[in-house]
Amino acid sequence: LHPAVTVTGGGVDGSLRLPDGHTVRWSVVGGAVSALASTWHPGFGRSVPNQCLEVVFDGPTITIEFVWE
C-alpha cells in the first residue's frame, strides 16, 4: 500500500483510509487479513516504510469484498 494509506482492523473485516479522506472497507469470508510492515519503492534505490495486506486462506476458496465510501 502507499505509505499515506492507514490500515485499521484486521481478521475478517477492516478498512483503508486514503490520503484524500475516502475509506475502503473490506470483508473476508474463508480467510483472514493482516497488515504487515513492508516497504514501498517509489524509485530506484528509494525505500519508504509502508504496510501490505496479507490474506491467509482457511480453505480452498475465499471471497473478499471491497466497498468504497
Side-chain angles (χ1 to χ4, degrees):
L1 301 172
H2 188 276
V5 174
T6 303
V7 181
T8 57
V12 296
D13 60 9
S15 64
L16 306 173
R17 180 78 166 169
L18 307 180
D20 66 1
H22 285 96
T23 300
V24 178
R25 289 184 299 114
W26 81 75
S27 61
V28 178
V29 175
V33 177
S34 298
L36 304 177
S38 186
T39 53
W40 179 64
H41 305 276
F44 185 76
R46 295 180 58 201
S47 183
V48 179
N50 76 335
Q51 292 185 303
C52 71
L53 297 180
E54 175 186 62
V55 180
V56 177
F57 287 55
D58 288 340
T61 62
I62 192 168
T63 301
I64 303 174
E65 179 179 61
F66 293 96
V67 178
W68 179 272
E69 297 180 339

